[in-house]
């Protein structure tokens, strides 16, 4: 049985990982990192710890759905303290330093980073690339909708979609991204890619990439209707990454897309 370590085990997705692994025939929970205190029972043989070294010792692979500062501490354990286990990172909202740390860690252990663990969004990223390249004159606008508890904005998924769109047009996203419009701001410029965020209720995750032209528009939408889409996706790629060489992997690598 593969022993999975969980960072963010008391969170909305982390707690679903515990449930999903209870029904898995190849993997079980090895250890859970608990920042404050446990919020629900874990299987009897689970190691419960707030020590990252102990989390690593009791895991064959670690899945992270937490917060950027927690991921930073996890990656530091690899980069500075010699921890060596494969990592599946799903947390979003990293700053530049945390992104660099992810790259450093991936030179030492296999790391799969995906801002969205669903198969549908993995395919959507490819569709957005194709549509943005083919419909070269169309204006691209991205809207994401999430539950009222989400703290980072825009979503990691929306930023990844925007990166695919920008890449398809040989643009640097940092140069063309617009994150709000208010007041007498003038007409839309040709290359800008807007990424707008809506928050409310219990929306699990909805992303729409619109490509708009005179006389027609195309909208590509993905809606996650259940949060265990993400936990189950992460477990699937966690099984895949064990035994791989140190490298930064994408979800497309794991899904063979
Ligand atoms: N890639 C993907 O497919 C998906 C990614 N996500 C991302 O995963 C992350 C978690 O989402 P969600 O489960 O909704 O969030 P929650 O707020 O429900 O859970 C966050 C978890 O992280 C823990 N945590 C927070 N700060 C620290 C810290 N400094 N050290 C250790 N643990 C900490 C929390 O512990 P405590 O309970 O004690 O506060 C909790 O267990 C977000 O970044 C979200 O965007 C979410 C869904 C899908
Ligand atoms: O916080 C969430 O809930 C989600 N976060 C991820 C993101 O920021 O893209 C993925 C998913 O949409 C749910």
């Amino acid at each position: 049985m593969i022993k999975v370590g969980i960072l963010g085990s008391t969170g909305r997705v982390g707690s679903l990982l515990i449930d999903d692994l209870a029904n898995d025939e190849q993997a079980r929970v090895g250890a859970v990192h608990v920042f404050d205190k446990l919020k629900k029972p874990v299987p009897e043989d689970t190691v419960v710890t707030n020590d990252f070294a102990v989390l690593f010792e009791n895991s064959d692979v670690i899945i992270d759905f937490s917060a950027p500062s927690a991921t930073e501490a996890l990656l530091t354990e690899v980069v500075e303290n010699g921890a060596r286990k494969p990592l599946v990172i799903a947390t979003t909202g990293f700053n530049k330093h945390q992104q660099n740390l992810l790259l450093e860690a991936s030179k030492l252990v296999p790391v799969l980073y995906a801002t969205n663990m669903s198969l549908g969004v993995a395919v959507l990223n490819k569709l957005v690339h194709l549509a943005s390249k083919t419909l070269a004159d169309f204006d691209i606008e991205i809207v994401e909708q999430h539950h009222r508890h989400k703290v980072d904005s825009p979503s990691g998924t929306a930023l990844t979609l925007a990166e695919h769109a920008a890449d398809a047009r040989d643009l640097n996203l940092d140069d063309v991204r617009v994150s709000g419009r208010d007041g007498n701001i003038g007409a839309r410029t040709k290359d800008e890619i807007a990424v707008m965020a809506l928050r409310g209720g219990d929306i699990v995750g909805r992303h729409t990439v619109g490509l708009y032209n005179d006389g027609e528009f195309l909208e590509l939408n993905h809606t996650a209707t259940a949060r265990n889409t993400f936990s189950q996706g992460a477990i699937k790629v966690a099984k895949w990454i064990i035994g791989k060489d140190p490298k930064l992997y994408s979800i497309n690598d794991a899904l063979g897309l």
Side-chain angles (χ1 to χ4, degrees), residues 92 115-116 146-147 150 152 155-157 204-205 207 230:
T92 57
T115 53
N116 196 301
H146 283 88
H147 53 95
K150 185 163 177 62
D152 57 312
S155 68
T157 306
V204 173
H207 292 88
F230 307 131

Side-chain angles (χ1 to χ4, degrees), residues 115-116 121 124-133 139-144 153-179 188 191-197 207-211 220:
T115 53
N116 196 301
V121 166
L124 179 62
N125 279 318
K126 293 182 87 78
L127 294 174
V128 166
H129 198 280
L130 173 71
S132 304
K133 201 175 180 70
D139 301 328
I140 303 174
E141 302 272 327
I142 300 176
V143 177
E144 57 99 334
S153 171
S155 68
T157 306
L159 289 173
T160 303
L161 289 164
E163 275 161 15
H164 279 85
D167 183 66
R169 292 184 175 184
D170 294 323
L171 298 169
N172 180 346
L173 184 60
D174 289 340
D175 297 338
V176 295
R177 181 159 76 91
V178 169
S179 53
R188 187 187 196 284
D191 284 339
E192 68 191 56
I193 299 176
V195 185
M196 305 294 190
H207 292 88
T208 304
V209 179
L211 294 106
L220 301 168

Side-chain angles (χ1 to χ4, degrees), residues 7-8 33 35 52 64 66-76 91 98:
L7 178 58
H33 182 278
F35 180 48
F52 283 95
D64 162 41
S66 60
S69 60
T71 311
E72 183 173 335
L74 182 81
L75 297 170
T76 301
T91 300
Q98 291 154 348

